[in-house]
């Protein structure tokens, strides 16, 4: 008898030590002879009278009791579980914190506030593999006046116990579930992250430690078979907490719970934003990203590329200072982590890429970051998602200047989208040359000052591209390199492709811009290969960029042109500077290129500032009987000319015109032609009369004829 008494008192002492260690806030002391103590004794004795539990294990804990209407785990739950456990132990039960044995016993219950009393219901439940059975159900009541008033007031940390309790109640499977806990997040995009999210997550983990159904895996996430996710939503003076347990693939829902509480029951410091700067925001999203990515990376050192334009504003469709700040901070935070380092060098051989977007909604900034791995496929370079993370920051912690837009921000976004789409059709880890043509005004045959500005921006963007390297100084390359002045060059679909080919670029970008209402500007761009295949096409609307209207007009005076024919036969003439809004200064060399869509014979003429017309091709260096192959581009002059021969701006300057004719049969010399040096000829008729004479000659003989012209402004 003495041994048994010693065993019982040792058990009671151990139980009180264990339960007191589980109480994280105020410890509720109940004295011997108190109303709660007497009620607990009565409940225990009535259970014993109906079921003899002597020597059997009974699991009991604070999580086993809740307020009946709300299912909240109030402080009274701890007081009730402590006193009831003590009384059951005195009557011969062996109290445990976890369920043990084949069909373990468990004491659970609820309490209901009814007027001046608290009604208590306790159930002795036998847990089973197939179903649980309530062996005994007993009730009692105590007067509220004899209780500590704090027992019936919600405490923040007990929200976690209540949620776990509800999850257990909603879990209908018999198997024990190992879970990993994700941090509680705001339930709406308009609500910033609060400190309570992190705090509640900690309490959830503590509550799971006392759960008989769920087990938190802690530092061993690989052991988990399910994920506990949670969110909080503030609705006026009420805060709702939602929790759910799903499998790792999110395809199976195991259990769900929801608890509403008054905001007044939550400590003020927990209602403060958890993030209070851009740096806080980036550090948080970086931490989440690494947590998700570490199990997918193979443990080896990986290198991730991050560009200054990899993060864009989803509201404005532009890159702002906020995005550039995020990119820089992410590089600083993630560099030299155990599994990841970050570079801004596109040629460093990165196997991963960091990118993302952000937007503002109802006073909150939402930042999303993606970590992707390059995946070479037959179709091209695709990206496989490694991890994604999102975090929120109250807008008041970030100045509005971070979200101001400018033309560069819009054009960087345009190029980012264009590059991203085109990259899906290109090989991985191979940087190709790209030529950027000047953008035309309203898709017409002239440029403006904005054309030059855009060209500089696009060139600057691709200078830090992983996929493309911009070719610069194109006119100088074409003018100075004899190797690029062969008579017959590569085939090309148009002059844009031809110039790209001649400067060793496999790809080129061209486009136009249009003035829109409200001073907006629309820009359209296409990225193509030399065959003319469009790899990507994008457009962007620049909202009120504040550009001088003069930047949208022609940068040079308008020059007369000759209308091109619309026949099936076509010819295209251009220079090393293109074919629109051309200007050359005194002493500059002009290099001409000609292309036709069929096998043809070519004649090229110029009309100088004095309205004198000269035939410059064919000449002594070219055989007039030699035809041009369809789709090929020819240079004039080329490597067959004398080494000192070139077309150079000299003498009187002004508006000049260059025009070319293509025909499927050789055209004769025009009447009144006078021979000049190197076999070139002066023609004493106007360009319009030249067209009329050739047209009549071709029409009478059934010869196909086409012509093209480009205006040139020569300047001192």
């Amino acid at each position: 008898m003495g041994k048994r008494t010693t065993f019982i008192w040792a058990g009671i002492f151990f139980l009180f030590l264990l339960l007191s260690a589980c109480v994280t806030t105020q410890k509720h002391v109940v004295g011997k002879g108190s109303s709660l103590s007497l009620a607990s004794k009565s409940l225990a004795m009535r259970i014993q009278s109906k079921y003899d539990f002597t020597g059997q294990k009974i699991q009991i804990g604070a999580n086993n009791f809740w307020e009946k209407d709300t299912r909240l785990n109030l402080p009274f739950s701890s007081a009730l579980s402590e006193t009831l456990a003590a009384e059951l132990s005195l009557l011969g039960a062996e109290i445990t914190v976890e369920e043990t044995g084949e069909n373990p016993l468990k004491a659970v219950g609820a309490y209901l506030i009814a007027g001046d009393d608290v009604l208590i219901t306790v159930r002795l439940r036998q847990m089973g593999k197939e179903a649980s059975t309530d062996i005994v159900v007993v009730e009692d009541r105590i007067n509220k006046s004899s209780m500590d008033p704090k027992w019936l007031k919600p405490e923040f940390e007990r929200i976690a116990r209540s949620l776990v309790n509800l999850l257990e109640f909603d879990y209908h499977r018999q198997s024990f579930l190992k879970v990993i806990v994700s941090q509680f997040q705001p339930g709406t995009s308009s609500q910033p992250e609060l400190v309570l999210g992190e705090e509640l997550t900690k309490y959830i983990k503590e509550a799971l430690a006392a759960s008989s159904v769920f087990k938190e895996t802690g530092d061993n996430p690989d052991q988990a078979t399910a994920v506990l996710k949670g969110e909080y939503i503030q609705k006026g003076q009420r805060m709702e907490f939602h929790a759910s347990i799903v499998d790792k693939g999110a395809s199976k829902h195991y259990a769900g719970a929801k608890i509403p509480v008054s905001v007044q029951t939550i400590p003020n410091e927990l209602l403060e934003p958890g993030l209070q700067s851009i740096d806080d925001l980036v550090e948080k999203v970086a931490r989440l990203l690494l947590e998700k990515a570490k199990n997918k990376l193979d443990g080896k050192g990986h290198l991730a590329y991050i560009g200054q334009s990899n993060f864009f504003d989803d509201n404005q469709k532009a890159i702002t200072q906020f995005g550039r700040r995020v990119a820089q901070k992410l590089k600083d935070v993630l560099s030299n982590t155990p599994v990841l380092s970050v570079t801004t060098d596109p040629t460093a051989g990165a196997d991963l890429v960091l990118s993302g977007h952000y937007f503002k909604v109802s006073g909150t900034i939402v930042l999303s970051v993606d970590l992707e791995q390059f995946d070479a496929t037959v179709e091209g370079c695709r990206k496989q998602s490694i991890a994604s993370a999102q975090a929120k920051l109250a807008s008041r912690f970030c100045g509005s200047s971070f979200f101001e837009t400018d033309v560069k921000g819009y054009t960087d976004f345009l190029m980012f989208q264009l590059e991203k789409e085109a990259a899906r059709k290109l090989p991985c880890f191979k940087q190709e040359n790209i030529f950027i043509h000047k953008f035309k005004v309203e898709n017409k045959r002239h440029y403006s000052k904005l054309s030059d500005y855009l060209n500089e921006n696009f060139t600057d963007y691709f200078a830090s591209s992983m996929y493309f390297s911009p070719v610069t100084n194109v006119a100088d390359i074409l003018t100075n390199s004899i190797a690029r002045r062969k008579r017959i060059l590569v085939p090309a679909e148009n002059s844009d492709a031809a110039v790209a080919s001649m400067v060793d670029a496999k790809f080129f970008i061209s486009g136009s811009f249009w003035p829109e209402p409200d001073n907006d500007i629309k820009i359209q761009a296409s990225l193509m290969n030399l065959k003319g295949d469009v790899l990507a096409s994008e457009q962007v609307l620049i909202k009120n960029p504040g550009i001088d209207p003069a930047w949208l007009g022609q940068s040079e005076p308008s020059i007369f042109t000759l209308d091109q024919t619309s026949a099936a036969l076509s010819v295209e003439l251009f220079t090393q500077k293109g074919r629109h809004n051309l200007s050359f200064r005194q002493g500059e060399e002009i290099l001409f290129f000609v292309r036709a869509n069929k096998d043809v014979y070519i004649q090229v003429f110029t009309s100088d500032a004095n309205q004198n017309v000269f035939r410059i091709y064919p000449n002594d260096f070219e055989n007039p009987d030699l035809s041009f192959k369809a789709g090929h581009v020819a240079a004039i002059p080329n490597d067959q000319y004398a080494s000192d021969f070139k077309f150079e701006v000299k003498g009187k300057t002004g508006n000049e015109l260059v025009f070319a004719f293509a025909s499927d049969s050789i055209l004769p010399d025009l009447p009144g032609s006078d021979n000049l040096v190197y076999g070139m000829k002066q023609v004493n008729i106007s360009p319009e009369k030249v067209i009329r004479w050739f047209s009549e000659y071709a029409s009478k003989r059934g010869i196909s004829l086409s012509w093209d012209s480009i205006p040139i402004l020569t300047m001192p």
Side-chain angles (χ1 to χ4, degrees):
M1 189 71 177
K3 289 183 178 179
R4 180 178 178 184
T5 304
T6 302
F7 168 78
I8 291 173
W9 281 107
I12 294 173
F13 177 74
F14 171 78
L15 174 67
F16 271 91
L17 285 178
L18 188 61
L19 289 175
S20 62
C22 294
V23 181
T24 57
T25 56
Q26 175 183 340
K27 182 178 179 182
H28 305 292
V29 180
V30 292
K32 185 177 181 181
S34 67
S35 297
L36 179 57
S37 178
L38 293 173
S40 297
K41 183 176 181 178
S42 173
L43 290 166
M45 291 178 67
R46 274 184 281 165
I47 293 173
Q48 175 72 300
S49 67
K50 296 183 179 182
Y51 180 83
D52 186 6
F53 52 71
T54 304
Q56 296 193 46
K57 295 179 180 179
I58 300 178
Q59 187 274 328
I60 189 170
N63 282 1
N64 294 24
F65 298 91
W66 56 88
E67 203 277 323
K68 187 174 182 179
D69 287 340
T70 64
R71 296 193 68 86
L72 281 173
N73 184 275
L74 301 176
F76 182 62
S77 298
S78 291
L80 177 58
S81 65
E82 290 174 11
T83 56
L84 184 59
E87 295 298 335
L88 291 171
S89 180
L90 286 171
L91 293 175
E94 183 180 343
I95 303 302
T96 65
V97 178
E98 295 184 357
E99 296 177 13
T100 58
E102 185 72 19
N103 294 297
L105 295 176
K106 181 176 183 178
V108 300
Y111 43 91
L112 175 65
I113 302 172
D116 294 332
D117 292 338
V118 175
L119 303 180
I120 304 171
T121 302
V122 177
R123 302 170 186 271
L124 184 63
R125 181 169 294 170
Q126 187 169 48
M127 312 302 290
K129 292 183 179 180
E130 301 300 328
S132 301
T133 304
D134 289 340
I135 301 172
V136 178
V137 180
V138 295
E139 294 183 341
D140 208 331
R141 70 172 62 206
I142 59 176
N143 192 274
K144 282 198 304 183
S145 62
S146 63
M147 298 170 53
D148 187 335
K150 295 180 181 178
W151 285 356
L152 300 177
K153 291 183 178 180
E155 290 181 349
F156 176 73
E157 62 268 33
R158 291 183 175 274
I159 294 172
R161 296 186 182 182
S162 301
L163 286 170
V164 170
N165 189 313
L166 288 171
L167 288 170
E168 290 177 340
F169 185 79
D170 193 47
Y171 182 66
H172 301 298
R173 299 170 183 248
Q174 297 303 314
S175 57
F176 190 77
L177 202 58
K178 293 182 178 181
V179 302
I180 184 172
V181 181
S182 296
Q183 182 166 318
F184 275 61
Q185 299 291 333
T188 62
S189 58
S190 61
Q191 183 173 331
E193 294 187 32
L194 303 179
V195 176
L196 64 82
E198 186 172 352
E199 288 299 302
L200 184 58
T201 304
K202 293 178 183 177
Y203 291 131
I204 285 286
K205 293 180 179 181
E206 292 179 3
L208 287 173
S211 173
S212 59
V213 179
F214 309 119
K215 180 68 175 179
E216 203 265 325
T217 57
D219 296 329
N220 301 300
D222 291 340
Q223 297 179 4
T225 56
V227 181
L228 191 157
K229 299 180 178 181
E231 62 184 28
Y232 47 90
I233 305 172
Q234 185 169 354
K235 298 180 178 180
Q237 292 302 307
R238 189 175 68 171
M239 186 76 75
E240 285 188 0
F241 295 94
H242 299 252
S244 62
I245 296 180
V246 297
D247 72 330
K248 280 189 171 181
S251 60
K252 294 181 181 178
H253 176 85
Y254 292 128
K258 180 179 77 172
I259 290 179
V261 299
S262 171
V263 173
Q264 296 177 352
T265 65
I266 303 174
N268 289 333
E269 61 270 19
L270 299 185
L271 295 173
E272 288 294 320
L275 309 175
Q276 299 189 8
S277 69
I278 297 178
D279 289 354
D280 286 348
L281 178 68
V282 175
E283 288 172 3
K284 171 66 179 294
V285 80
R287 185 169 66 252
L288 294 174
L289 197 70
L290 284 179
E291 287 176 358
K292 294 181 178 181
K294 63 183 179 182
N295 294 320
K296 294 186 179 180
L297 299 176
D298 52 17
K300 300 178 182 178
H302 290 269
L303 183 63
Y305 170 74
I306 186 170
Q308 287 294 306
S309 300
N310 281 24
F311 294 86
F312 64 90
D313 189 317
D314 214 3
N315 294 125
Q316 305 184 89
K317 306 303 180 187
I319 313 294
T320 68
Q321 185 59 33
F322 180 85
R324 298 186 180 100
R325 175 71 173 271
V326 167
Q328 182 57 51
K329 183 63 180 177
L330 263 179
K331 178 182 180 298
D332 296 341
V333 173
L334 293 175
S335 290
N336 301 316
T337 59
V339 295
L340 187 68
S341 53
V342 182
T343 181
T344 55
D345 181 0
T347 64
D351 61 323
L352 305 174
V353 62
L354 282 159
S355 62
H357 63 277
Y358 48 93
F359 58 90
K360 295 173 90 173
V361 55
S362 301
T364 300
I365 303 165
V366 182
L367 171 64
S368 297
V369 178
D370 300 311
L371 178 64
E372 298 171 300
Q373 190 166 33
F374 294 107
D375 183 18
T377 68
V378 177
E379 293 81 11
C381 189
R382 304 298 171 90
K383 294 173 186 175
Q384 180 181 358
S385 177
I386 298 297
S388 297
Q390 186 181 90
K392 302 173 185 178
L393 175 70
S395 299
R396 60 190 171 98
F397 294 113
C398 186
S400 59
S401 61
F402 279 96
F403 298 92
E404 292 178 355
T405 57
D406 55 19
V407 176
K408 180 172 174 55
Y410 283 110
T411 57
D412 280 356
F413 172 76
L414 177 64
M415 292 297 106
F416 176 76
Q417 296 296 104
L418 201 69
E419 177 187 40
K420 183 172 68 173
E421 179 61 26
R424 294 170 57 86
K425 305 168 187 175
L426 300 175
C428 295
F429 315 116
K430 188 175 182 181
Q431 199 176 49
E432 300 284 4
N433 286 344
I434 190 167
F435 172 55
I436 303 168
H437 287 274
K438 281 187 179 182
F439 276 44
K440 294 172 284 188
V441 181
E442 299 180 0
N443 208 24
K444 296 178 180 177
R445 293 179 55 159
H446 67 270
Y447 309 127
S448 73
K449 287 186 177 180
L450 183 57
S451 303
D452 294 326
Y453 180 79
L454 293 177
N455 189 268
E456 291 175 5
N457 278 356
F458 298 154
T459 301
D460 178 65
Y461 175 88
F462 283 105
S464 59
S465 167
M466 292 191 72
Y467 308 98
F468 303 102
S469 177
V471 179
T472 57
N473 302 319
V474 171
D476 292 340
I477 293 174
L478 292 178
T479 302
N480 300 325
S481 177
I482 297 298
R484 290 171 171 79
R485 291 168 58 170
K486 295 179 181 178
R487 182 181 184 274
I488 301 298
L489 301 169
V490 297
E493 291 296 317
N494 50 51
S495 61
D496 290 346
V499 174
S501 175
M502 286 186 284
V503 295
D504 295 332
K506 291 185 178 181
F507 303 93
F508 63 92
I509 292 176
S510 61
S512 298
F513 54 89
W514 295 263
E516 293 284 313
D518 301 323
N519 297 318
D520 297 341
I521 297 175
K522 182 173 71 175
I523 304 177
Q524 189 276 332
S526 296
L527 193 156
M528 294 175 278
N529 60 20
L530 297 182
K531 296 179 180 179
D533 299 326
V534 178
L535 275 66
S537 183
E538 298 286 343
Q539 67 179 31
V540 68
L541 183 66
I542 304 179
K543 294 287 189 179
N544 193 17
I547 291 177
D548 186 338
W551 276 39
L552 299 177
Q554 289 182 229
S555 55
E556 305 293 352
S558 178
I559 308 172
F560 70 91
T561 61
L562 298 174
D563 292 334
Q564 185 175 355
T565 75
S566 58
L569 173 64
S570 66
V571 62
E572 190 173 27
L573 183 66
F574 56 98
T575 74
Q576 74 269 37
K577 292 186 179 182
R579 57 180 277 115
H580 305 303
N581 267 77
L582 298 173
S583 62
F584 291 85
R585 294 192 176 276
Q586 194 79 256
E588 269 194 273
E589 181 183 1
I590 304 177
L591 182 63
F592 298 104
F593 300 94
V594 185
R595 175 193 173 278
N597 66 337
K598 295 184 178 181
D599 292 354
V600 293
Y601 299 92
I602 296 291
Q603 291 200 33
V604 181
F605 296 82
T606 66
S607 173
D608 65 14
N610 292 318
Q611 305 300 307
N612 296 315
V613 178
F614 302 91
R615 191 198 72 188
I616 62 174
Y617 183 91
N619 49 54
D620 286 348
F621 302 107
E622 298 278 2
N623 184 349
D625 297 333
L626 188 63
S627 67
F628 283 65
K629 295 298 181 182
H632 286 70
V633 177
I636 305 172
N638 53 60
D639 56 358
Q640 297 183 25
Y641 285 61
S643 59
D644 62 343
F645 182 92
K646 59 182 178 181
F647 295 114
E648 184 178 332
V649 177
K650 289 183 177 180
K652 183 179 179 181
T653 57
N655 291 340
E656 304 191 21
L657 184 72
V658 183
F659 49 105
F661 293 88
S663 58
D664 57 3
S665 295
I666 298 175
L667 296 173
D669 285 343
L670 290 167
S673 299
D674 297 325
N675 290 326
L676 299 176
V677 66
Y678 294 130
M680 293 183 287
K681 296 179 178 289
Q682 182 171 359
V683 182
N684 297 317
I685 57 177
S686 67
E688 290 82 1
K689 289 183 179 180
V690 172
I691 291 177
R692 189 180 307 124
W693 195 93
F694 275 142
S695 296
E696 291 176 355
Y697 180 90
S699 176
K700 291 177 180 179
R701 293 162 178 79
I703 297 174
S704 295
L705 179 71
S706 179
W707 60 85
D708 185 31
S709 64
I710 52 173
I712 295 177
L713 178 67
T714 56
M715 300 179 292

